[in-house]
């Protein structure tokens, strides 16, 4: 995971700081955090991002526009949510999901899985 640039999209600052700490321990470079959809889209447009951690809900608003933008740039991402995979739209059901709260090893596993889908030449969309 060392030196990967990870976009963090999370509106709860305590959770964002915990994720940043976990990523720092993994040797990642944090982009963000983005606490709202417009900021996340801005960062996606101007930053080089290897992978993203995406909260499914930002202040009551879903983040599928962010997921679409990441997918359009072929940037792998994982959802971090308290809703679990049952809360995802069907077209995103194949994405790695971290059930909040999670541990650093869970974050590392999910990020590695997301990155491996791209690096191994497998399509991000598996349907």
């Amino acid at each position: 995971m060392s030196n990967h640039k990870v976009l963090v999209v999370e509106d709860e600052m305590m959770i964002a700081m915990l994720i940043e700490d976990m990523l720092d321990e993994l040797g990642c470079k944090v982009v963000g955090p983005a606490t709202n959809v417009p900021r996340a889209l801005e960062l996606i447009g101007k930053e080089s991002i290897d992978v993203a951690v995406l909260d499914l809900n930002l202040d009551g608003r879903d983040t599928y526009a962010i997921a679409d933008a990441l997918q359009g740039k072929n940037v792998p991402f994982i959802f971090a949510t308290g809703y679990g995979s049952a809360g995802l739209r069907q077209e995103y059901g194949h994405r790695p999901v971290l059930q909040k709260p999670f541990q650093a090893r869970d974050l590392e596993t999910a990020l590695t899985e997301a990155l491996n889908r791209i690096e191994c030449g497998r399509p991000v969309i598996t349907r």
Side-chain angles (χ1 to χ4, degrees), residues 77-117:
F77 60 92
I78 61 172
F79 287 106
T81 177
Y83 304 108
S85 59
L88 295 180
R89 286 186 185 164
Q90 183 178 2
E91 65 264 32
Y92 290 109
H94 65 283
R95 294 287 178 172
V97 176
L98 280 174
Q99 176 76 41
K100 290 180 183 177
F102 53 84
Q103 302 295 317
R105 67 182 172 274
D106 302 321
L107 177 60
E108 182 178 21
T109 299
L111 289 172
T112 300
E113 178 185 343
L115 286 165
N116 283 341
R117 289 182 181 190

Side-chain angles (χ1 to χ4, degrees), residues 33-72:
T35 60
N36 57 55
V37 173
R39 178 66 177 145
L41 294 175
E42 177 186 346
L43 289 171
I44 292 166
K46 72 179 188 177
E47 295 286 339
S48 173
I49 300 166
D50 297 315
V51 64
V53 178
L54 179 59
D55 187 2
L56 185 58
N57 183 321
L58 296 179
D59 197 28
R61 186 172 173 196
D62 73 53
T63 56
Y64 291 114
I66 301 167
D68 292 343
L70 290 166
Q71 191 165 269

Side-chain angles (χ1 to χ4, degrees), residues 25-38:
E25 288 178 20
L26 294 172
C28 298
K29 296 180 189 237
V30 176
V31 177
T35 60
N36 57 55
V37 173

Side-chain angles (χ1 to χ4, degrees), residues 1 5-7 13 22 32 34 38-39 52 61 83-84 87 93 114 117:
M1 291 303 311
K5 292 177 88 176
V6 183
L7 172 64
M13 287 312 297
M22 290 178 194
R39 178 66 177 145
R61 186 172 173 196
Y83 304 108
R117 289 182 181 190

